[in-house]
Amino acid sequence: RSGSPLSPPAALSQVTVRDALNQALDEELERDERVFLLGEEVAQYDGAYKISRGLWKKYGDKRVIDTPISEMGFTGIAVGAAMAGLRPVCEFMTFNFSMQAIDQVINSAAKTCYMSAGSIPVPIVFRGPNGASAGVAAQHSQCFAAWYGHCPGLKVVSPWSSEDAKGLLKASIRDDNPVVVLESELLYGVPFEMSEQAQSKEFVIPIGKAKIEKQGTHVTLVAHSRPVGHCLEAAAVLSKEGVECEV
């Protein structure tokens, strides 16, 4: 047969959001010795939701740090570390309890670069589960996207798929500004297809750019976090009726 064969399509793997976040943390801890993770149960217990599984054994006490149940305290430590040149990833077991540390997140982290005329960057990531979940009661079920989205000085991301979760968390850790990463607890165990490219160590998704999950010409549906999946399901229904949605 003449002619060169077509190159095979990029391999796709099924990866859960939990494992994608774990990959991102592992790769960034390995890449930059200034990166460290702290929060409740992130080390010896492997994380309340197992996002940090295996990282304490691999990187040790200085890079993966169990904290007391004191959000205001360990968030303040993380913000100070960022001001001093480290790149902390501060995990809230649930974003509902980031309210305990709201002064540190907003008045210390978000405002310092501006208040110092750009001389003191605060490269920090605040991450953890946000929004509704299953059977976790009222104190664990609120969505803080609008709260944090209204605070100047913060970048806020809210991923849907495994690719989003990995690419946005890596971009957040590399960013020189404070970034709030709002994860959906209901998506942690959901597998998504991830390309070989998305699983590479240098894969990042740029913050602040809309991602088109489905092309369409009639109407645009905009969502973040878990509702992206609902919009894709609605788009599939409407497609049968001749309405092509962009999601």
Side-chain angles (χ1 to χ4, degrees), residues 28 31-32 34-35 82-83 85-89 109-110 113 120-126 153-157 167-181 204-209:
E28 294 306 302
R31 174 181 173 272
D32 188 342
R34 296 171 299 171
V35 175
M83 289 178 181
L86 298 178
R87 304 186 82 87
V89 179
C113 189
I120 306 175
V122 187
I124 187 169
V125 172
F126 303 103
L154 289 178
K155 294 183 178 182
V156 184
V157 301
L168 287 172
L169 180 54
K170 285 172 71 76
S172 301
I173 293 170
R174 296 182 189 192
D175 202 290
D176 286 333
N177 299 281
V179 186
V180 173
V181 180
V204 294
I205 292 176
I207 295 172
K209 190 172 188 293

Side-chain angles (χ1 to χ4, degrees), residues 141-191:
S141 300
Q142 300 160 103
C143 175
F144 291 95
W147 284 51
Y148 285 123
H150 277 83
C151 297
L154 289 178
K155 294 183 178 182
V156 184
V157 301
S158 182
W160 170 59
S161 66
S162 299
E163 180 179 294
D164 294 345
K166 181 181 178 184
L168 287 172
L169 180 54
K170 285 172 71 76
S172 301
I173 293 170
R174 296 182 189 192
D175 202 290
D176 286 333
N177 299 281
V179 186
V180 173
V181 180
L182 302 172
E183 302 157 8
S184 168
E185 185 185 331
L186 290 169
L187 290 174
Y188 280 154
V190 177

Side-chain angles (χ1 to χ4, degrees), residues 188-245:
Y188 280 154
V190 177
F192 289 87
E193 284 190 344
M194 276 182 81
S195 67
E196 209 171 286
Q197 178 199 4
Q199 293 187 67
S200 80
K201 290 186 177 182
E202 290 309 309
F203 176 75
V204 294
I205 292 176
I207 295 172
K209 190 172 188 293
K211 185 180 176 198
I212 297 172
E213 290 287 350
K214 180 184 177 297
Q215 300 282 353
T217 51
H218 294 127
V219 64
T220 298
L221 307 179
V222 182
H224 66 91
S225 191
R226 193 162 170 256
V228 175
H230 301 327
C231 286
L232 287 169
E233 290 169 11
V237 172
L238 286 167
S239 184
K240 293 173 184 172
E241 298 175 14
V243 179
E244 291 305 326
C245 300

Side-chain angles (χ1 to χ4, degrees), residues 28-200:
E28 294 306 302
L29 283 161
E30 182 180 67
R31 174 181 173 272
D32 188 342
E33 63 183 13
R34 296 171 299 171
V35 175
F36 70 98
L37 172 68
L38 80 168
E40 294 151 0
E41 298 184 356
V42 299
Q44 296 187 41
Y45 188 66
D46 279 341
Y49 296 97
K50 305 305 178 203
I51 304 300
S52 53
R53 185 177 59 239
L55 299 181
W56 174 65
K57 286 179 182 172
K58 185 172 181 181
Y59 295 101
D61 291 325
K62 285 189 175 179
R63 306 287 303 283
V64 184
I65 303 167
D66 278 331
T67 66
I69 303 173
S70 176
E71 280 78 9
M72 183 181 289
F74 69 73
T75 304
I77 288 169
V79 173
M83 289 178 181
L86 298 178
R87 304 186 82 87
V89 179
C90 178
E91 176 179 308
F92 296 119
M93 194 181 287
T94 157
F95 258 97
N96 297 264
F97 300 131
S98 72
M99 295 300 98
Q100 295 284 333
I102 195 73
D103 187 51
Q104 301 286 11
V105 176
I106 305 303
N107 288 322
S108 298
K111 300 297 189 284
T112 294
C113 189
Y114 175 78
M115 299 287 284
S116 67
S119 65
I120 306 175
V122 187
I124 187 169
V125 172
F126 303 103
R127 54 153 295 272
N130 166 73
S133 189
V136 291
Q139 287 186 322
H140 298 69
S141 300
Q142 300 160 103
C143 175
F144 291 95
W147 284 51
Y148 285 123
H150 277 83
C151 297
L154 289 178
K155 294 183 178 182
V156 184
V157 301
S158 182
W160 170 59
S161 66
S162 299
E163 180 179 294
D164 294 345
K166 181 181 178 184
L168 287 172
L169 180 54
K170 285 172 71 76
S172 301
I173 293 170
R174 296 182 189 192
D175 202 290
D176 286 333
N177 299 281
V179 186
V180 173
V181 180
L182 302 172
E183 302 157 8
S184 168
E185 185 185 331
L186 290 169
L187 290 174
Y188 280 154
V190 177
F192 289 87
E193 284 190 344
M194 276 182 81
S195 67
E196 209 171 286
Q197 178 199 4
Q199 293 187 67
S200 80

